[in-house]
Amino acid sequence: MPRPGKPAIWHPFTQHGLNEPIPEIARAEGASLYTTDGTRIIDAISSWWVTTHGHCHPRIAAAIADQATRLDQLILAGWTHRPALDLAEGLVDLFGLPHVFFSDSGSTAVEVALKMALGFWRNTGHGHRNRVIVMQHSYHGDTIGAMSVGERGVYNAAYAPLLFDVDTVPFPHAGAEGVTYAALEALCARADAACFIVEPLVLGAGGMLMYPPAVLAEMAAICARHGVLFIADEVMTGWGRTGTLLACEQAGVTPDILCLAKGITGGAMPLAVTLANAAVYDAHYAPDRSRTFYHSSSYTANPIACAAAVANLAVWREEPVRERIATLRARQADGAAMLATVPGIANVRQCGTILALDYVVDGAGYLSDLQPRLLAFFRERGVLIRPLGNTAYLMPPYGIGADDLARCHAALADAVALIAG
Ligand SMILES: *Cc1c(COP(=O)(O)O)cnc(C)c1O
């Protein structure tokens, strides 16, 4: 029974008490969303960093439709299927890590990575190595383990009693990278250090904080010197967002464990993978059940989701995706140059296809009223932009047109009226 005046859907990251409108979208194409009354909205954040090429890519949609009539679901414990085999082979070829473990969201890919890391140490006779090192301001998902390795704050304060302890290195601010290196070095040198998990080049939910490839390379080198497993969470940065297929590529880094989700299907189906190097896999390999990696979920490697991801790999191989990314990157650079001249806007920054900026405002936290006012402003302008506190960013699908992107840049500039007023 519905409750009068209360929605049946409890929306994520939404305070229903604010009574903000919740528009209904009927269809999507490219970078456009269409409401039920036909209004077009520009999807400037790829529907939460997921849609890479554009909505409803015909090739990916066709692969989903085709697979749905052949094999819709299969238990992956002890059984296998062609879409999973093709996808795993494709991922291994692309990323240089030989083993692929499937799951269904970025959060679970992170949970799997942490379990692999601790399993590695326990199975190799070093069970005391069980501390996880993380970076300040990180976000790795909303399940308990993923929250534990992410920044603590208003989002997870209520669950603090459930979160496990981690060791944190400071964010590598420009000019103070040495502080991060020294902290990482000291923590890696401890006898109980198991792994370091980090978002390469861009800390997304933490505020689109960026650091250069050389810093990533140095952090990976510190971990390697101490035998600490290096886990790259490329759930957001993967699939071209930072300009290269993986952000790690720019630093010449191959992680020991790699988490991918979001863009793996081009954004059409929920799917995630955790890739592991030979040592991590071999630590779980035994002639008996003793070292088995005990993790699964019902939809592990769902065939329809895998077929979408196989089609995504084909799109990357056969369509000019890298050229689209280069074009978008250049247009974002033009937009960044314009936005940097706007009073009230600071810290305009770009990494590949991602553009971010901060509105200059005193003491604006996530819970202040700025965020809802910005949301309403962008909604009225017909652009889907969802600020993080006083930080706004664009992370559009790669096929977004020049005019649409210019409208997004203009909306970001015009929103300074809200902080003045
Ligand atoms: C979004 C995100 C996650 C969580 O992915 P979900 O699919 O939302 O569970 C993990 N890590 C990073 C870096 C992310 O941006």
Side-chain angles (χ1 to χ4, degrees):
M1 268 258 262
R3 297 173 67 200
K6 304 277 192 223
I9 300 179
W10 188 345
H11 286 263
F13 275 67
T14 300
Q15 178 44 264
H16 286 281
L18 294 174
N19 282 314
E20 288 166 13
I22 298 186
E24 180 180 339
I25 300 299
R27 63 187 185 88
E29 187 183 357
S32 302
L33 305 172
Y34 296 91
T35 62
T36 41
D37 66 7
T39 306
R40 190 174 79 95
I41 312 284
I42 302 169
D43 186 354
I45 62 160
S46 298
S47 279
W48 252 349
W49 321 348
V50 166
T51 307
T52 48
H53 314 294
H55 285 279
C56 299
H57 189 289
R59 182 162 190 163
I60 296 172
I64 291 169
D66 180 61
Q67 186 61 40
T69 62
R70 289 170 195 273
L71 175 66
D72 54 351
Q73 163 69 1
L74 179 74
I75 176 173
L76 201 73
W79 299 81
T80 194
H81 55 81
R82 185 43 55 191
L85 289 163
D86 288 347
L87 178 56
E89 274 169 30
L91 294 172
V92 166
D93 281 347
L94 277 174
F95 300 125
L97 288 168
H99 301 289
V100 179
F101 194 93
F102 287 98
S103 61
D104 31 40
S105 74
S107 302
T108 52
V110 166
E111 301 279 353
V112 165
L114 297 172
K115 287 172 75 169
M116 281 179 176
L118 265 75
F120 168 83
W121 288 117
R122 186 168 193 267
N123 292 344
T124 54
H126 304 278
H128 59 283
R129 295 192 72 153
N130 55 23
R131 295 285 298 187
V132 181
I133 305 168
V134 308
M135 180 178 281
Q136 178 192 21
H137 301 311
S138 293
Y139 176 81
H140 296 291
D142 277 347
T143 52
I144 299 294
M147 278 193 292
S148 297
V149 295
E151 182 79 6
R152 309 293 167 96
V154 292
Y155 314 101
N156 48 39
Y159 328 115
L162 299 182
L163 306 185
F164 56 78
D165 256 6
V166 294
D167 296 310
T168 306
V169 300
F171 178 82
H173 290 287
E177 298 88 349
V179 180
T180 302
Y181 301 154
L184 185 59
E185 186 81 50
L187 290 170
C188 284
R190 285 173 44 165
D192 57 1
C195 59
F196 174 50
I197 181 167
V198 73
E199 298 165 82
L201 304 190
V202 186
L203 273 57
M208 295 296 155
L209 305 175
M210 301 174 183
Y211 62 88
V215 175
L216 182 62
E218 179 59 24
M219 294 190 301
I222 292 170
C223 290
R225 271 205 300 283
H226 293 278
V228 169
L229 295 172
F230 185 82
I231 305 175
D233 176 356
E234 295 239 21
V235 168
M236 184 279 277
T237 52
W239 306 104
R241 290 291 176 202
T242 68
T244 42
L245 183 57
L246 288 189
C248 280
E249 226 176 286
Q250 296 178 43
V253 164
T254 303
D256 297 306
I257 300 176
L258 169 67
C259 304
L260 297 170
K262 293 188 172 126
I264 190 172
T265 59
M269 294 285 292
L271 182 72
V273 291
T274 307
L275 276 70
N277 69 12
V280 170
Y281 177 88
D282 289 348
H284 291 86
Y285 186 91
D288 53 47
R289 299 185 66 84
S290 58
R291 296 173 177 181
T292 307
F293 188 57
Y294 289 112
H295 188 97
S296 178
S297 54
S298 316
Y299 283 100
T300 298
N302 171 262
I304 302 172
C306 287
V310 171
N312 175 46
L313 293 188
V315 170
W316 272 89
R317 259 193 327 268
E318 293 163 27
E319 291 187 20
V321 179
R322 286 176 178 80
E323 286 80 349
R324 283 179 208 141
I325 287 172
T327 302
L328 174 55
R329 183 181 201 154
R331 288 178 182 152
Q332 289 280 56
D334 292 343
M338 180 276 283
L339 289 161
T341 67
V342 177
I345 289 179
N347 303 325
V348 179
R349 51 200 185 271
Q350 182 186 0
C351 181
T353 70
I354 306 168
L355 182 160
L357 55 80
D358 301 336
Y359 292 110
V360 182
V361 36
D362 290 332
Y366 191 81
L367 293 177
S368 82
D369 73 331
L370 178 65
Q371 210 242 10
R373 284 163 62 224
L374 284 168
L375 271 176
F377 175 85
F378 294 129
R379 202 165 45 229
E380 278 152 31
R381 291 283 289 249
V383 290
L384 170 45
I385 295 176
R386 197 183 160 87
L388 300 155
N390 64 323
T391 297
Y393 64 91
L394 304 178
M395 195 191 296
Y398 307 146
I400 188 172
D403 292 350
D404 281 354
L405 191 64
R407 273 182 59 190
C408 296
H409 293 145
L412 287 176
D414 294 347
V416 293
L418 295 183
I419 52 172

